[in-house]
Amino acid sequence: MRKPYIVGIDIGTGSTKAVSMDLEGNVLNVSQCGYPTLNPEPGYSEQNPEDIWEGFRGCIKDTMQKMGYAPEAFSLSSAMHSFIPVDQNGGALHNMITWADARSEALAEILRESAEAEFIYNTSGTPIHAMSPLSKLLWLKGSNKDLFEQSHKFISIKEYIWFKLFRTFEIDYGIASATGLFDIIKLQWSPEIMEIASITADRLSTPVNTSFSRKIDDPEVLSSLGLDKGISVVIGSSDGCCANLGSAVTDDYKAALTIGTSAAVRVTANAPVYNFKAMTFNYLLDEQTYVCGGPLNNGGVAVDWAIEKFLNKVEPDEADYEYFFKQIEATAAGSGGLIFVPYLTGERAPIWDTAVTANFVGLQLHHGQQHFFRAVLEGVCMAINEVLLAVEQATMPIKQLNISGGFLNAPVWMQVLANVTGKKLVVVQADDASAIGAIILAARVLHPDSELEEKLSQETQTIMPDYSQHEVYKKLQPVYGRLYDDLKTVMHTLKSLAL
């Protein structure tokens, strides 16, 4: 007898991943399709939305081929802050601008210093930063007015794919709440913020709850996906919100931590949690649940950078990563007094500054390769801890971090993170937490009495901190926390020289 199953599809920055799961919580199949990021100019980060659509299609077709029969439904998770100007037929008029794009930072900085800044932040829940579609809209209006005027709508990558499936412009509350344009209390586009962006609501998609679904019934669309009959698609939420659900972070004193190329710390609450100075975010999992926290630019990208530059490995293999982590494991906590500030790609929370740069501080004659390696990993973990401390300041003490992301494959990294934060780390779901969260959203609609959510909340691995090492990091964390203010002017000046 064929088991009914649901497919959670996470539309990410580097790839789209489809996870097939039955109602017992068993992963039946994982399909993944990658696509490139384009950097036409320094600070620019773009993708061809058609590449992502092909990746999405490829994941579904591969799933159908491997499973041999259709799921009950698909449910979507997606990266936030993407921006695509489109025509009335949903055709892209420009490459998609990703969250990592920094071209609108000067405008974002002006907006952060404006009299309207706190209103925008409190209303939208979105930090005022180059990542947000609000900032991207302001950039487009100022740099390419013709394109701004001729664009029918401004949408995200999930809306682009949704339009391909259903020929209608709709956006879920989760993605809408990450635009900087959405009122997260009234659940509607904010008239005041739209006025700042010089647009009206008809140039944005219709907001719907994250449980909203439609059925694919267009024969041409079904054929393009390798399907032979109609199937429902739950619109789902953003990757961060879905990851909280997939990581079983739905109660107090827990936070979700995801580390991939970038990283994010998130808690779940029934009301927004504001911290204007640190600009922690408030995004919607559904109409009454908020995911609050802070994102970081520099997670796994710092590890990859260190391996590439110190080992001269542009495409490192498993042995290179093994060597990197063995060197770290053999080096004492604190890296002999060497601190790495991991702002390789600027930084988001808690400083929100795209012009900062990375630094090694405290370099002495006795430092060798192993100290640099450990300092890189410790720097990433201390950056994460800075965000965690800001979230705790705005909410409550966090006793447990439910972790997910690619760093789960590195036990040394998990242990260093536990030692730096002093928190218990828990692995709930080793597979893609965002895709799993999307599955749970669909199961809540299709099977409200299902025990799937409870089954997926079982702890599969626990990492406790080494408290003797944590004492070392308690001394280092305040030093790390001062480095941004102490070095900000130098970092900005060096970057501006463009040598």
Side-chain angles (χ1 to χ4, degrees):
M1 182 179 176
R2 291 178 167 180
K3 283 187 173 182
Y5 70 100
I6 298 169
V7 179
I9 304 178
D10 182 35
I11 307 159
T13 305
S15 67
T16 289
K17 182 184 287 187
V19 177
S20 301
M21 177 175 282
D22 65 23
L23 296 178
E24 300 300 312
N26 301 306
V27 174
L28 307 177
N29 179 66
V30 177
S31 296
Q32 189 167 10
C33 295
Y35 27 77
T37 297
L38 311 172
N39 306 105
E41 294 184 36
Y44 283 34
S45 178
E46 299 181 356
Q47 291 179 315
N48 182 344
E50 279 298 302
D51 288 345
I52 302 175
W53 166 244
E54 288 305 315
F56 178 86
R57 287 180 59 234
C59 279
I60 292 180
K61 292 173 77 172
D62 186 64
T63 298
M64 294 303 95
Q65 183 178 2
K66 290 177 178 175
M67 292 299 299
Y69 63 103
E72 283 192 282
F74 297 107
S75 186
L76 307 184
S77 161
S78 174
M80 293 176 275
H81 314 302
S82 56
F83 177 81
I84 315 169
V86 296
D87 60 27
Q88 61 185 5
N89 296 314
L93 300 175
H94 188 280
N95 273 342
M96 183 186 85
I97 302 175
T98 80
W99 65 268
D101 192 279
R103 74 187 76 179
S104 63
E105 176 52 29
L107 291 167
E109 188 171 349
I110 292 170
L111 198 58
R112 273 199 304 273
E113 299 301 321
S114 71
E116 296 83 12
E118 195 157 359
F119 171 82
I120 293 170
Y121 168 70
N122 289 339
T123 300
S124 71
T126 304
I128 301 171
H129 183 261
M131 69 179 185
S132 85
L134 170 59
S135 298
K136 294 176 171 76
L137 265 173
L138 294 173
W139 169 83
L140 184 63
K141 183 180 69 171
S143 65
N144 193 336
K145 192 168 184 180
D146 288 343
L147 178 57
F148 179 83
E149 295 295 341
Q150 73 186 53
S151 298
H152 177 63
K153 288 186 187 289
F154 305 102
I155 66 174
S156 70
I157 188 59
K158 189 196 279 190
E159 294 161 80
Y160 184 84
I161 288 173
W162 192 260
F163 190 86
K164 290 272 194 183
L165 298 175
F166 303 111
R167 307 301 296 177
T168 185
F169 290 106
E170 289 165 330
I171 183 172
D172 64 84
Y173 289 161
I175 295 297
S177 66
T179 62
L181 296 152
F182 192 70
D183 188 321
I184 58 173
I185 302 299
K186 296 179 179 178
L187 303 180
Q188 63 183 33
W189 298 116
S190 166
E192 295 87 353
I193 302 177
M194 284 190 294
E195 185 175 353
I196 292 170
S198 302
I199 62 168
T200 49
D202 62 326
R203 303 189 74 186
L204 300 169
S205 296
T206 301
V208 296
N209 196 11
T210 54
S211 59
F212 179 81
S213 68
R214 286 189 180 275
K215 187 173 183 178
I216 304 174
D217 52 19
D218 184 306
E220 187 175 338
V221 175
L222 289 169
S223 176
S224 74
L225 298 173
L227 299 167
D228 57 10
K229 64 177 182 179
I231 190 167
S232 293
V233 183
V234 177
I235 198 167
S237 189
S238 67
D239 54 359
C241 291
C242 285
N244 263 41
L245 192 55
S247 301
V249 177
T250 54
D251 50 10
D252 293 342
Y253 308 107
K254 291 181 182 178
L257 169 62
T258 303
I259 306 179
T261 301
S262 56
V265 177
R266 303 174 303 271
V267 297
T268 304
N270 58 11
V273 176
Y274 297 109
N275 184 330
F276 180 63
K277 182 180 178 182
M279 281 204 180
T280 49
F281 58 65
N282 291 282
Y283 301 144
L284 285 159
L285 175 61
D286 55 38
E287 77 277 16
Q288 56 190 10
T289 309
Y290 297 83
V291 171
C292 317
L296 300 95
N297 282 4
N298 303 283
V301 68
V303 170
D304 292 340
W305 168 84
I307 292 173
E308 177 185 340
K309 301 304 181 184
F310 283 90
L311 300 181
N312 196 27
K313 294 293 182 77
V314 177
E315 296 183 0
D317 56 24
E318 188 175 336
D320 298 319
Y321 285 99
E322 185 177 341
Y323 174 78
F324 176 81
F325 287 113
K326 278 188 176 179
Q327 290 280 89
I328 291 170
E329 193 170 21
T331 306
S335 305
L338 184 65
I339 293 179
F340 179 63
V341 184
Y343 302 152
L344 290 163
T345 60
E347 190 52 284
R348 289 183 286 174
I351 62 172
W352 301 101
D353 189 341
T354 60
V356 290
T357 56
N359 300 267
F360 283 102
V361 180
L363 183 61
Q364 301 172 62
L365 283 173
H366 71 270
H367 288 127
Q369 184 188 79
Q370 72 276 20
H371 297 103
F372 284 95
F373 284 175
R374 186 167 185 109
V376 166
L377 199 68
E378 290 177 339
V380 170
C381 292
M382 285 192 284
I384 289 168
N385 201 33
E386 285 291 296
V387 177
L388 182 61
L389 292 169
V391 171
E392 286 187 305
Q393 183 182 26
T395 57
M396 66 189 74
I398 303 299
K399 298 179 181 178
Q400 176 176 313
L401 293 174
N402 287 14
I403 57 176
S404 62
F407 89 117
L408 298 189
N409 297 316
V412 175
W413 192 345
M414 291 190 287
Q415 189 61 60
V416 171
L417 180 66
N419 298 345
V420 168
T421 62
K423 310 294 186 188
K424 172 185 175 183
L425 307 187
V426 170
V427 179
V428 173
Q429 186 56 245
D431 293 286
D432 189 288
S434 297
I436 301 299
I439 290 169
I440 293 171
L441 280 175
R444 286 178 174 181
V445 176
L446 299 170
H447 301 280
D449 298 325
S450 168
E451 297 180 355
L452 176 64
E453 202 165 340
E454 181 180 346
K455 291 175 180 176
L456 291 174
S457 67
Q458 303 302 311
E459 298 180 3
T460 60
Q461 185 181 0
T462 299
I463 302 96
M464 295 299 296
D466 179 328
Y467 289 105
S468 64
Q469 292 197 22
H470 180 56
E471 289 302 313
V472 174
Y473 295 120
K474 281 173 68 176
K475 297 174 184 176
L476 286 175
Q477 191 72 46
V479 179
Y480 177 93
R482 291 196 300 270
L483 287 175
Y484 171 70
D485 288 333
D486 291 346
L487 299 174
K488 177 180 177 181
T489 300
V490 174
M491 290 187 285
H492 284 192
T493 301
L494 284 173
K495 191 168 185 178
S496 69
L497 294 176
L499 298 176

